C-alpha cells in the first residue's frame, strides 16, 4: 500500500461523518483508492462502510423518497447486487447453477445471462441502440459539414474570392469553428440545463438545417461568413450534447465504445460527403455544384431532428441533476428502457444516486426543492461558478488538464490539414498548370479526399470494443509515434522532383497517418471530454476542452493557407514537418498528463481524477517507465505496477471478455465467507 497519509474520519458520529470521509476521498484521493460507495472496507485506517442493516435502512429511505411506486424488496435486492457487484459477477459467470444460493440475492437465469452480456458484449442493452443511432446521425452530420467546407473551398471563386484572397478564404472557413468554440459550446449549458441532451440535439439540428439551406443561395464570401457563424452555433451545441448523451446512457464498461460512435460516424460522414462532392462535380455548372455541396448537410440535419424528437431517450442522469427537470422517477423509467432487466435498472439507479450524493461538488441534494427552477439569473450564476471551479478544485482541474491535453493534441496533429484543405493540398502537389484538364483538376483531388475519409472510417473500427479493453491511454501512446513518422514522411516527400510520383507518395504517407490517427487520437478527445467530469460540472467541463478543440480547428483553418504559402510561409513540406514535431510533443504530454478511464463508471472517475497530477507523473517516471524498459526492451516478464488500489474489482485482467482473476475474498467479508 502507498505511504501517503489518509485523513481519518470517525464513523461513530453516524452517516454525516461517513459522508464527509467519502467526500474528502473524492476531493483529494492521495492514496489512489478506487472504492465502491456501498462497500465495507477491511483496513483499520479507512472508514467503515454500510453494514447490511445500514444498507437496508438507507434503501428504505431512498425508495420512499425517490421511487415510491417501486416495490421496496426489488430496490433492496438491486442495492445488494450493487454493493457486492464483483461477487454477483462471479456467480453469474459460474457454470454451477447452484452457486450463490446462500447469498442474500438469488439471481434468475435471465439476470445471470444479462449480467454477463453487459460486460462481454458491446451494446448488449436493447435501449442503447436508439442512442447509438442518434449519436451516429449527429456525427454523420458533422462529417458532412466538414466535407462541405472542404469542397466549397475548391469553388471559392464562385463566392467572390480570387487566388490572392488567402485570409478571406481562411477566415470564412474558420468562422464556423470560432462560433462553435466561443458561443456554441457555452450555449450548450443553458440548453442542456433547460431542455436536456436531446434538446441540445434538436436545437443544433435546426441551426444546421437552416444554415445549410441558406448556404445554397449565398453568392458572396461575406454572406457565407455570416451563414457559417450560424452553422458554428449548431456544431458547438451538438459537439457537447452528443458525447454527453452517449456517456451518460452507456454501461460503464462499454462507455468508450458508445462515445466512439461519434468519431466513427464523423469519419463516415466525411467519406460520404467527399463521395457526394465528387458526384456533384458532374453538374452542369460550377455554381450548381457549389450549391449542392453547400446544401448537402440539410438531409442528415433533418434526419437528426426527427430522431431526437421522436425516438431517442433522454439521459437518465439529466433527471438526477438539480434543475427544472429533476425527477428520479423519470430517470428510473429511462433506465428501464435502456437496460435489459429491472434488476440492472434499479442497481444503476441506486449506485448512481449514492455516488452523486458523495460528489464533492454537490451534484445532488436531498433538498425537496431541488427540482424547482431557481430562476434564470441564478442559473447563469451557477454556470459561471461551475466554470470557475474547474480551475479551483483538484478533481476538476485534473480532469480538465487531461481532456484539454488530448483535444489540443488532436488539432496540433495536423489531421485537419487534410480534412479542411485536402483538395487544395493534393491539387498543388501535382500538376496544377493551366494545361491540366478542368475536370481532372477537380476530380483527382476530390478522389484523394474520398480515400482519406474512407481510411479514417475503416481504421476507426478497430477501436470499437478495444477502446474499453485496451484503453484510451494505451491507444494514444501506441499511435502518436507512428503519426509523427508518417507526417514527417509526407513532409519529406515534397522534395521529390518527379511530380507524377510525388502526388501518390505524399498521399500514401497522409493515408498512413490517417490509419494511425483513426483508432487513437480520432475518437479519444471527445470521449475524455464527455466522461471525465462529475454530473454537477459535466456540461461546463465538457464544453471547455471541446471549445479548445474547435477553437484550434478554427485557427488551423484560418492560418494554414498562410502557413503553407510558398513565398511567405513554410510551404507544404515545411508545414507538415511542423505538425510531425507537434505529434512528438503530444506523445510526451499524454504520457505525463493523461489518466486511463476505461472500465470505470462515470462516478468512479471522481476517485481517479482526485489523485494529484504530481503523484501520477511521479508514478509514470519512477515506476511505469522502468517497468516498460524491463518488460519490452530487456524482455523480463514482470507484472506491471499499479497506481490505483481497486477495492471494487481488485487486480484483474480480461481475456476473451472473461474475468480470470478471482480475488473477491480479499475485498469483502461476505465474499470471503462464501468462497
Amino acid at each position: 500500500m502507498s505511504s501517503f497519509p489518509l485523513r481519518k474520519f470517525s464513523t461513530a458520529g453516524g452517516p454525516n461523518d461517513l459522508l464527509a470521509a467519502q467526500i474528502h476521498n473524492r476531493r483529494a484521493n492521495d492514496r489512489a483508492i478506487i472504492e465502491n460507495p456501498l462497500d465495507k472496507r477491511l483496513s483499520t485506517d479507512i472508514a467503515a462502510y454500510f453494514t447490511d442493516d445500514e444498507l437496508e435502512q438507507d434503501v428504505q429511505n431512498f425508495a420512499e423518497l425517490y421511487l415510491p411506486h417501486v416495490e421496496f424488496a426489488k430496490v433492496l435486492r438491486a442495492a445488494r447486487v450493487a454493493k457486492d457487484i464483483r461477487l454477483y459477477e462471479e456467480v453469474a459467470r459460474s457454470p454451477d447453477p447452484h452457486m450463490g444460493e446462500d447469498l442474500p440475492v438469488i439471481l434468475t437465469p435471465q439476470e445471470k445471462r444479462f449480467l454477463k452480456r453487459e460486460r462481454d458484449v458491446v451494446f448488449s442493452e436493447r435501449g442503447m441502440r436508439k442512442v447509438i443511432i442518434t449519436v451516429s446521425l449527429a456525427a454523420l452530420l458533422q462529417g458532412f459539414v466538414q466535407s462541405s467546407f472542404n469542397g466549397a473551398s475548391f469553388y471559392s471563386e464562385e463566392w467572390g474570392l480570387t487566388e490572392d484572397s488567402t485570409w478571406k478564404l481562411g477566415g470564412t472557413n474558420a468562422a464556423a469553428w470560432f462560433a462553435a468554440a466561443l458561443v456554441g459550446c457555452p450555449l450548450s449549458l443553458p440548453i442542456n440545463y433547460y431542455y436536456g441532451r436531446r434538446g441540445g440535439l434538436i436545437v443544433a439540428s435546426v441551426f444546421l438545417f437552416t444554415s445549410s439551406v441558406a448556404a445554397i443561395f449565398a453568392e458572396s464570401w461575406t454572406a457565407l461568413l455570416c451563414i457559417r457563424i450560424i452553422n458554428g452555433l449548431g456544431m458547438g451545441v451538438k459537439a457537447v450534447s452528443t458525447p454527453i448523451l452517449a456517456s451518460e446512457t452507456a454501461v460503464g464498461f462499454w462507455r468508450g465504445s458508445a462515445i466512439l460512435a461519434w468519431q466513427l460516424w464523423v469519419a463516415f460522414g466525411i467519406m460520404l460527403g467527399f463521395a457526394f462532392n465528387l458526384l456533384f462535380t458532374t453538374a452542369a455548372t460550377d455554381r450548381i455544384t457549389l450549391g449542392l455541396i453547400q446544401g448537402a448537410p440539410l438531409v442528415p440535419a433533418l434526419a437528426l431532428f426527427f430522431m431526437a424528437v421522436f425516438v431517442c431517450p433522454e439521459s437518465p442522469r439529466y433527471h438526477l441533476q438539480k434543475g427544472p427537470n429533476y425527477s428520479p422517477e423519470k430517470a428510473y423509467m429511462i433506465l428501464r428502457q435502456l437496460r435489459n432487466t429491472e434488476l440492472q435498472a434499479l442497481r444503476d439507479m441506486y449506485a448512481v444516486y449514492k455516488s452523486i450524493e458523495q460528489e464533492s461538488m454537490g451534484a445532488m441534494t436531498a433538498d425537496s426543492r431541488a427540482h424547482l427552477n431557481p430562476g434564470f439569473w441564478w442559473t447563469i450564476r451557477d454556470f459561471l461558478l461551475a466554470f470557475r471551479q474547474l480551475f479551483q478544485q483538484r478533481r476538476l482541474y485534473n480532469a480538465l488538464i487531461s481532456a484539454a491535453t488530448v483535444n489540443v493534441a488532436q488539432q496540433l496533429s495536423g489531421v485537419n490539414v487534410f480534412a479542411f484543405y485536402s483538395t487544395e493540398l493534393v491539387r498543388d502537389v501535382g500538376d496544377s498548370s493551366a494545361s491540366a484538364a478542368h475536370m481532372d483538376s477537380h476530380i483527382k483531388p476530390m478522389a484523394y479526399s474520398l480515400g482519406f475519409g474512407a481510411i479514417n472510417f475503416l481504421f476507426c473500427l478497430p477501436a470499437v470494443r478495444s477502446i474499453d479493453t485496451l484503453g484510451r491511454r494505451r491507444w494514444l501512446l501506441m499511435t502518436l509515434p507512428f503519426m509523427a513518422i508518417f507526417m514527417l514522411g509526407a513532409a519529406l516527400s515534397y522534395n521529390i522532383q518527379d511530380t507524377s510520383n510525388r502526388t501518390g507518395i505524399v498521399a500514401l504517407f497522409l493515408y498512413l497517418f490517417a490509419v494511425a490517427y483513426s483508432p487513437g487520437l480520432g475518437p479519444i478527445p471527445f470521449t475524455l471530454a464527455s466522461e471525465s467530469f462529475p454530473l454537477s460540472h459535466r456540461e461546463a467541463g465538457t464544453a471547455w476542452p471541446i471549445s479548445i478543440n474547435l477553437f484550434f480547428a478554427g485557427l488551423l483553418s484560418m492560418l494554414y493557407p498562410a502557413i503553407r504559402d510558398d513565398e511567405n510561409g513554410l510551404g507544404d513540406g515545411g508545414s507538415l514537418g511542423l505538425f510531425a514535431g507537434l505529434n512528438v510533443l503530444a506523445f510526451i504530454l499524454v504520457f505525463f498528463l493523461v489518466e486511463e478511464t476505461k472500465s470505470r463508471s462515470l462516478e468512479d472517475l471522481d476517485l481517479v481524477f482526485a489523485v494529484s497530477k504530481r503523484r501520477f507523473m511521479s508514478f509514470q517516471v519512477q515506476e511505469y517507465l522502468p517497468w516498460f524498459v524491463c518488460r519490452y526492451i530487456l524482455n523480463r516478464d514482470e507484472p506491471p505496477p499499479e497506481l490505483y488500489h481497486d477495492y471494487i474489482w481488485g487486480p484483474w485482467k480480461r481475456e476473451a471478455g472473461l474475468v480470470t482473476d478471482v480475488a473477491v475474498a480479499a475485498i469483502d467479508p461476505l465474499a470471503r465467507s462464501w468462497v
Side-chain angles (χ1 to χ4, degrees):
M1 296 291 288
S2 169
S3 61
F4 279 79
L6 178 72
R7 181 179 173 187
K8 296 182 182 179
F9 293 85
S10 168
T11 58
N16 290 336
D17 287 336
L18 174 59
L19 187 60
Q22 294 168 326
I23 288 175
H24 172 77
N25 283 352
R26 288 174 181 261
R27 277 205 184 107
N29 188 15
D30 292 327
R31 293 191 65 177
I33 300 239
I34 309 298
E35 59 188 357
N36 188 328
L38 306 176
D39 238 347
K40 177 181 287 186
R41 300 281 287 281
L42 302 180
S43 301
T44 58
D45 62 342
I46 300 175
Y49 282 64
F50 282 147
T51 64
D52 287 340
D53 290 341
E54 289 170 340
L55 178 68
E56 185 172 346
Q57 182 61 48
D58 188 78
V59 170
Q60 184 173 2
N61 295 336
F62 166 78
E64 289 176 356
L65 188 59
Y66 299 113
L67 298 177
H69 302 298
V70 181
E71 186 180 339
F72 167 70
K74 294 181 178 179
V75 183
L76 179 60
R77 187 170 180 268
R80 283 173 169 159
V81 172
K83 177 178 180 289
D84 298 305
I85 183 63
R86 182 167 183 178
L87 177 60
Y88 287 100
E89 167 92 4
E90 295 298 332
V91 171
R93 294 186 178 283
S94 174
D96 182 0
H98 301 292
M99 182 170 285
E101 289 184 350
D102 56 340
L103 294 175
V105 176
I106 299 177
L107 300 175
T108 67
Q110 182 190 45
E111 288 169 343
K112 290 181 179 180
R113 183 166 70 92
F114 283 119
L115 283 176
K116 288 171 57 180
R117 281 179 58 83
E118 76 174 356
R119 294 185 68 83
D120 293 347
V121 180
V122 185
F123 312 140
S124 63
E125 300 75 35
R126 58 187 180 183
M128 278 302 297
R129 296 166 192 167
K130 297 176 183 178
V131 176
I132 295 302
I133 292 173
T134 305
V135 170
S136 301
L137 264 176
L140 185 76
L141 174 57
Q142 182 83 1
F144 256 86
V145 169
Q146 288 188 219
S147 296
S148 72
F149 288 3
N150 189 311
S153 296
F154 206 60
Y155 295 89
S156 57
E157 67 278 0
E158 294 294 326
W159 24 291
L161 295 183
T162 59
E163 291 186 1
D164 60 348
S165 302
T166 300
W167 286 104
K168 291 180 181 178
L169 172 63
T172 305
N173 285 335
W177 305 103
F178 287 139
L182 301 176
V183 183
C185 289
L187 185 63
S188 68
L189 270 72
I191 291 174
N192 274 256
Y193 178 78
Y194 286 108
Y195 305 110
R197 288 63 166 123
R198 288 172 59 241
L201 295 182
I202 292 168
V203 171
S205 64
V206 170
F207 276 131
L208 290 164
F209 178 84
T210 304
S211 60
S212 296
V213 172
I216 297 174
F217 305 100
E219 296 185 354
S220 67
W221 75 273
T222 51
L224 192 57
L225 177 70
C226 296
I227 292 168
R228 293 273 173 90
I229 291 174
I230 303 299
N231 187 293
L233 298 180
M235 286 201 298
V237 173
K238 178 168 58 65
V240 174
S241 304
T242 308
I244 290 179
L245 175 66
S247 70
E248 291 185 338
T249 51
V251 170
F253 190 80
W254 298 115
R255 184 178 60 252
S257 295
I259 308 172
L260 182 137
W262 170 264
Q263 174 61 26
L264 178 67
W265 292 98
V266 165
F268 185 79
I270 291 173
M271 179 186 71
L272 197 60
F274 281 142
F276 276 103
N277 289 352
L278 188 60
L279 177 65
F280 295 152
T281 60
T282 61
T285 65
D286 286 351
R287 179 61 204 166
I288 295 176
T289 297
L290 177 62
L292 291 171
I293 290 174
Q294 300 267 52
L298 68 86
V299 177
L302 193 61
L304 176 62
F305 176 84
F306 283 103
M307 194 72 188
V309 171
F310 298 109
V311 179
C312 183
E314 183 54 85
S315 162
R317 285 176 171 86
Y318 168 66
H319 291 295
L320 294 176
Q321 183 178 25
K322 186 178 75 172
N325 292 292
Y326 176 80
S327 174
E329 287 194 78
K330 285 184 179 180
Y332 170 64
M333 294 306 298
I334 293 171
L335 280 170
R336 286 290 288 123
Q337 298 176 44
L338 293 172
R339 302 294 181 255
N340 289 321
T341 65
E342 184 181 38
L343 174 71
Q344 291 170 293
L346 284 170
R347 175 205 64 191
D348 288 356
M349 178 69 191
Y350 182 66
V352 170
Y353 158 74
K354 293 304 296 181
S355 295
I356 293 174
E357 183 184 60
Q358 296 170 17
E359 277 184 358
S360 59
M361 319 313 158
M364 191 172 183
T365 175
D367 184 355
S368 60
R369 297 172 297 172
H371 64 285
L372 300 177
N373 188 345
F376 177 78
W377 294 111
W378 191 264
T379 301
I380 297 299
R381 172 192 171 277
D382 279 354
F383 292 156
L384 296 176
L385 180 63
F387 278 124
R388 190 179 73 181
Q389 288 175 341
L390 292 177
F391 300 91
Q392 294 177 326
Q393 301 184 21
R394 179 199 286 184
R395 184 264 177 268
L396 295 173
Y397 62 66
N398 280 350
L400 184 61
I401 290 170
S402 298
T405 295
V406 180
N407 275 272
V408 170
Q410 185 184 66
Q411 294 304 326
L412 297 184
S413 71
V415 65
N416 280 333
V417 168
F418 208 74
F420 296 159
Y421 290 106
S422 59
T423 50
E424 300 270 322
L425 192 64
V426 174
R427 178 184 62 182
D428 292 347
V429 173
D431 182 11
S432 58
S433 64
S435 62
H438 177 72
M439 188 60 69
D440 285 344
S441 67
H442 286 64
I443 291 178
K444 184 177 179 180
M446 288 190 176
Y448 276 109
S449 299
L450 175 60
F452 175 82
I455 289 173
N456 201 353
F457 171 72
L458 292 174
F459 285 90
C460 190
L461 291 174
V464 177
R465 185 182 177 93
S466 66
I467 193 175
D468 289 307
T469 54
L470 189 63
R472 289 80 152 135
R473 175 182 167 85
R474 188 173 296 178
W475 261 122
L476 290 172
L477 295 178
M478 286 170 50
T479 54
L480 277 166
F482 290 101
M483 291 169 59
I485 292 170
F486 294 140
M487 186 64 82
L488 180 61
L492 295 176
S493 298
Y494 276 89
N495 294 320
I496 298 174
Q497 298 301 315
D498 187 350
T499 58
S500 61
N501 293 326
R502 185 170 60 203
T503 303
I505 295 174
V506 170
L508 173 63
F509 276 110
L510 290 175
Y511 285 170
L512 291 173
F513 171 86
V515 169
Y517 165 85
S518 298
L521 203 53
I524 291 172
F526 280 75
T527 301
L528 277 177
S530 61
E531 71 183 1
S532 297
F533 298 91
L535 183 62
S536 59
H537 293 70
R538 186 155 296 143
E539 294 94 336
T542 303
W544 257 108
I546 292 180
S547 291
I548 292 171
N549 186 306
L550 298 177
F551 184 80
F552 274 88
L555 282 180
L556 180 66
S557 180
M558 182 173 67
L559 297 178
Y560 184 70
I563 293 174
R564 68 185 285 261
D565 185 78
D566 289 327
E567 295 182 5
N568 302 312
L570 298 175
D572 286 319
S575 60
L576 296 186
L578 171 64
F579 290 121
L582 292 174
N583 279 292
V584 175
L585 176 62
F587 174 85
I588 296 171
L589 293 175
V590 168
F591 181 81
F592 284 109
L593 297 176
V594 179
E595 296 89 345
E596 181 57 75
T597 59
K598 70 169 184 174
S599 307
R600 303 290 180 196
S601 72
L602 288 172
E603 289 69 36
D604 289 343
L605 293 180
D606 276 351
L607 298 165
V608 172
F609 287 111
V611 178
S612 69
K613 284 292 183 187
R614 180 178 298 178
R615 171 122 164 80
F616 179 79
M617 295 169 66
S618 175
F619 172 81
Q620 301 306 321
V621 174
Q622 298 178 14
E623 298 185 48
Y624 183 82
L625 192 57
W627 170 83
F628 183 88
V629 173
C630 291
R631 177 66 180 85
Y632 293 103
I633 298 178
L634 302 179
N635 200 28
R636 296 177 186 171
D637 190 11
E638 297 181 4
E642 296 288 345
L643 171 61
Y644 304 104
H645 306 287
D646 192 340
Y647 284 87
I648 299 178
W649 294 100
W652 62 288
K653 57 185 177 180
R654 178 165 296 265
E655 296 177 0
L658 299 178
V659 175
T660 60
D661 176 18
V662 184
V664 290
I667 301 176
D668 192 277
L670 176 62
R672 183 169 64 239
S673 63
W674 170 65
V675 173

